[in-house]
PDB file of all heavy atoms in Angstrom:
ATOM      1  N   SER M 270      -6.796  -3.346 -16.515  1.00  0.00           N
ATOM      2  CA  SER M 270      -6.203  -3.830 -17.733  1.00  0.00           C
ATOM      3  C   SER M 270      -7.235  -4.693 -18.501  1.00  0.00           C
ATOM      4  O   SER M 270      -7.816  -5.645 -17.915  1.00  0.00           O
ATOM      5  CB  SER M 270      -4.976  -4.656 -17.390  1.00  0.00           C
ATOM      6  OG  SER M 270      -4.654  -5.543 -18.427  1.00  0.00           O
ATOM      7  N   CYS M 271      -7.387  -4.383 -19.770  1.00  0.00           N
ATOM      8  CA  CYS M 271      -8.279  -5.173 -20.635  1.00  0.00           C
ATOM      9  C   CYS M 271      -7.641  -6.523 -20.913  1.00  0.00           C
ATOM     10  O   CYS M 271      -8.342  -7.438 -21.373  1.00  0.00           O
ATOM     11  CB  CYS M 271      -8.641  -4.417 -21.895  1.00  0.00           C
ATOM     12  SG  CYS M 271      -7.368  -4.555 -23.193  1.00  0.00           S
ATOM     13  N   ALA M 272      -6.298  -6.561 -20.789  1.00  0.00           N
ATOM     14  CA  ALA M 272      -5.490  -7.789 -21.061  1.00  0.00           C
ATOM     15  C   ALA M 272      -5.393  -8.187 -22.551  1.00  0.00           C
ATOM     16  O   ALA M 272      -4.765  -9.138 -22.924  1.00  0.00           O
ATOM     17  CB  ALA M 272      -6.032  -8.987 -20.267  1.00  0.00           C
ATOM     18  N   ARG M 273      -6.118  -7.434 -23.371  1.00  0.00           N
ATOM     19  CA  ARG M 273      -6.208  -7.869 -24.819  1.00  0.00           C
ATOM     20  C   ARG M 273      -5.491  -6.933 -25.766  1.00  0.00           C
ATOM     21  O   ARG M 273      -5.093  -7.308 -26.891  1.00  0.00           O
ATOM     22  CB  ARG M 273      -7.659  -7.948 -25.268  1.00  0.00           C
ATOM     23  CG  ARG M 273      -8.456  -9.002 -24.514  1.00  0.00           C
ATOM     24  CD  ARG M 273      -9.803  -9.148 -25.177  1.00  0.00           C
ATOM     25  NE  ARG M 273     -10.623 -10.135 -24.421  1.00  0.00           N
ATOM     26  CZ  ARG M 273     -11.584  -9.827 -23.577  1.00  0.00           C
ATOM     27  NH1 ARG M 273     -11.894  -8.596 -23.361  1.00  0.00           N
ATOM     28  NH2 ARG M 273     -12.263 -10.838 -22.956  1.00  0.00           N
ATOM     29  N   CYS M 274      -5.385  -5.677 -25.433  1.00  0.00           N
ATOM     30  CA  CYS M 274      -4.898  -4.737 -26.349  1.00  0.00           C
ATOM     31  C   CYS M 274      -3.336  -4.885 -26.470  1.00  0.00           C
ATOM     32  O   CYS M 274      -2.710  -5.535 -25.679  1.00  0.00           O
ATOM     33  CB  CYS M 274      -5.193  -3.283 -25.899  1.00  0.00           C
ATOM     34  SG  CYS M 274      -4.306  -2.588 -24.570  1.00  0.00           S
ATOM     35  N   PHE M 276      -0.941  -2.915 -25.731  1.00  0.00           N
ATOM     36  CA  PHE M 276      -0.132  -2.419 -24.580  1.00  0.00           C
ATOM     37  C   PHE M 276      -0.350  -3.334 -23.411  1.00  0.00           C
ATOM     38  O   PHE M 276       0.706  -3.660 -22.698  1.00  0.00           O
ATOM     39  CB  PHE M 276      -0.525  -0.999 -24.275  1.00  0.00           C
ATOM     40  CG  PHE M 276      -0.199  -0.028 -25.386  1.00  0.00           C
ATOM     41  CD1 PHE M 276      -1.108   0.643 -26.152  1.00  0.00           C
ATOM     42  CD2 PHE M 276       1.144   0.223 -25.642  1.00  0.00           C
ATOM     43  CE1 PHE M 276      -0.752   1.530 -27.123  1.00  0.00           C
ATOM     44  CE2 PHE M 276       1.553   1.068 -26.692  1.00  0.00           C
ATOM     45  CZ  PHE M 276       0.575   1.738 -27.411  1.00  0.00           C
ATOM     46  N   CYS M 277      -1.531  -3.866 -23.153  1.00  0.00           N
ATOM     47  CA  CYS M 277      -1.698  -4.767 -22.045  1.00  0.00           C
ATOM     48  C   CYS M 277      -0.880  -6.035 -22.264  1.00  0.00           C
ATOM     49  O   CYS M 277      -0.345  -6.626 -21.353  1.00  0.00           O
ATOM     50  CB  CYS M 277      -3.195  -5.128 -21.884  1.00  0.00           C
ATOM     51  SG  CYS M 277      -4.167  -3.782 -21.078  1.00  0.00           S
ATOM     52  N   CYS M 285      -3.288   1.143 -21.702  1.00  0.00           N
ATOM     53  CA  CYS M 285      -4.402   0.306 -22.220  1.00  0.00           C
ATOM     54  C   CYS M 285      -5.298   1.141 -23.195  1.00  0.00           C
ATOM     55  O   CYS M 285      -5.754   2.203 -22.828  1.00  0.00           O
ATOM     56  CB  CYS M 285      -5.252  -0.265 -21.134  1.00  0.00           C
ATOM     57  SG  CYS M 285      -6.620  -1.313 -21.678  1.00  0.00           S
ATOM     58  N   ILE M 286      -5.551   0.530 -24.355  1.00  0.00           N
ATOM     59  CA  ILE M 286      -6.461   1.233 -25.307  1.00  0.00           C
ATOM     60  C   ILE M 286      -7.732   0.323 -25.528  1.00  0.00           C
ATOM     61  O   ILE M 286      -8.415   0.524 -26.452  1.00  0.00           O
ATOM     62  CB  ILE M 286      -5.753   1.479 -26.692  1.00  0.00           C
ATOM     63  CG1 ILE M 286      -5.041   0.241 -27.170  1.00  0.00           C
ATOM     64  CG2 ILE M 286      -4.819   2.681 -26.536  1.00  0.00           C
ATOM     65  CD1 ILE M 286      -4.522   0.367 -28.654  1.00  0.00           C
ATOM     66  N   GLY M 287      -7.911  -0.626 -24.620  1.00  0.00           N
ATOM     67  CA  GLY M 287      -9.008  -1.539 -24.770  1.00  0.00           C
ATOM     68  C   GLY M 287     -10.095  -1.220 -23.749  1.00  0.00           C
ATOM     69  O   GLY M 287     -11.001  -2.080 -23.394  1.00  0.00           O
ATOM     70  N   GLY M 288     -10.129  -0.036 -23.168  1.00  0.00           N
ATOM     71  CA  GLY M 288     -11.041   0.339 -22.154  1.00  0.00           C
ATOM     72  C   GLY M 288     -10.573   0.409 -20.765  1.00  0.00           C
ATOM     73  O   GLY M 288     -11.265   0.811 -19.807  1.00  0.00           O
ATOM     74  N   GLY M 289      -9.287  -0.015 -20.473  1.00  0.00           N
ATOM     75  CA  GLY M 289      -8.684   0.047 -19.161  1.00  0.00           C
ATOM     76  C   GLY M 289      -7.801   1.251 -19.012  1.00  0.00           C
ATOM     77  O   GLY M 289      -8.071   2.233 -19.565  1.00  0.00           O
TER      78      GLY M 289
HETATM   79 ZN1  LIG O 760      -5.557  -3.089 -22.662  1.00  0.00          ZN
END
Side-chain angles (χ1 to χ4, degrees):
S270 162
C271 83
R273 296 190 181 101
C274 76
F276 294 113
C277 284
C285 178
I286 49 171

